[in-house]
Amino acid sequence: MTATPQVVVHRDKELMAQAAAARLITKIVDAQAARGTASVVLTGGRNGNGLLAALAASPARDAVDWGRLDLWWGDERFLPAGDPDRNEVQAREALLERVPVDPSRVHPMPASDGPWGNDAEAAAEGYAAELATARDVLNHGAVPGFDVLLLGVGPDTHVASLFPEHPALHERERPVVAVHGAPKPPPTRITLTLPAIRTAREVWLLAAGEDKADAARIALSGPGELQVPAAGAYGESRTLWLLDRAAASALPPQLYPPATA
């Protein structure tokens, strides 16, 4: 792991979402000031969508130059376009329809009725190709230089659509793969792999609620990533765990930060 994870605990999930949104605005503005653009990978789920809704409601959102922001996804349910269970659809409702994003810089993962039809492997390859075309001249890897990559953490410690003991966790070359037989419906998904996730400058893991307490405790105790995928998700310069008190309730004292918000 390149950086020791930092843990920030907030009073409740609402405050966690608001604070995370404020952090994200600052990161985007700083990246745009430094390089002209910023690149963020979005996540779905209740905490990911809660963050996006809080960002949409923030008075500071106008500090972002939305036309100079690239948005990607860490995973997607392989469902038809417009399906309400798709992360992209939920993100558009929570945030993207409320801010002036450049449609050409919003990069959803393919739908099951998209250019590759119902072939999840071809769709994953197509998304990998789209990521590759967005690389800057200084980045020779398989994906663009993500500034922040957001991940929700499941009660089983899964992140994106990387589930414990699933074959996708063994992938070391491809940045995007199809997932079949996921333990959560729908069974077919598309996901970034751990090597792609680890290229991000910062990885933020979001967890709120008592049902995430054991997952946070286990993932932060240093286990193997094949059994605990969240343990294998970290950034090049920073790994940040954003928790509410319920999700942090099982952490040992040495992991629980002395100051909470």
Side-chain angles (χ1 to χ4, degrees):
M1 191 174 295
T2 56
T4 300
Q6 296 175 266
V7 179
V8 178
V9 181
H10 296 284
R11 182 181 64 241
D12 53 44
K13 65 180 181 180
E14 291 80 15
L15 186 57
M16 185 189 87
Q18 293 164 8
R23 283 180 186 273
L24 186 57
I25 290 169
T26 299
K27 281 294 172 185
I28 293 170
V29 170
D30 286 349
Q32 290 178 336
R35 297 189 311 278
T37 64
S39 182
V40 173
V41 179
L42 303 180
T43 187
R46 69 187 189 219
N47 293 315
N49 291 324
L51 186 160
L52 296 182
L55 203 166
S58 171
R61 76 179 196 187
D62 293 336
V64 172
D65 185 338
W66 293 100
R68 293 190 293 134
L69 176 65
D70 284 289
L71 294 171
W72 304 87
W73 271 264
D75 76 316
E76 186 57 275
R77 299 169 173 94
F78 198 51
L79 297 167
D83 190 294
D85 284 338
R86 277 179 58 86
N87 291 333
E88 173 212 352
V89 172
Q90 296 171 10
R92 290 188 185 280
E93 292 175 352
L95 173 66
L96 305 186
E97 294 174 351
R98 303 169 65 181
V99 292
V101 293
D102 178 349
S104 70
R105 302 184 79 158
V106 177
H107 308 274
M109 286 184 165
S112 62
D113 58 353
W116 293 274
N118 205 35
D119 187 338
E121 278 71 24
E125 291 176 7
Y127 201 65
E130 186 172 356
L131 286 163
T133 62
R135 294 175 300 180
D136 59 52
V137 294
L138 298 178
N139 178 18
H140 303 292
V143 299
F146 303 131
D147 292 293
V148 177
L149 187 148
L150 301 168
L151 292 170
V153 180
D156 62 352
T157 75
H158 84 266
V159 290
S161 283
L162 298 169
F163 295 92
E165 307 284 358
H166 263 238
L169 290 168
H170 294 276
E171 181 61 49
R172 291 295 176 263
E173 300 297 329
R174 294 177 293 172
V176 189
V177 297
V179 172
H180 299 281
K184 289 181 61 179
T188 304
R189 295 156 175 257
I190 299 172
T191 187
L192 296 187
T193 59
L194 286 178
I197 288 170
R198 292 168 184 161
T199 67
R201 295 178 180 90
E202 298 198 8
V203 169
W204 298 2
L205 298 105
L206 312 172
E210 290 183 6
D211 62 325
K212 306 294 181 71
D214 284 341
R217 175 184 58 79
I218 294 168
L220 286 164
S221 66
E225 62 195 38
L226 296 181
Q227 294 75 33
V228 182
Y234 47 84
E236 285 194 337
S237 63
R238 191 183 197 197
T239 306
L240 190 62
W241 280 74
L242 300 173
L243 309 174
D244 72 351
R245 286 180 181 168
S249 61
L251 295 184
Q254 65 267 28
L255 291 178
Y256 201 108
T260 60

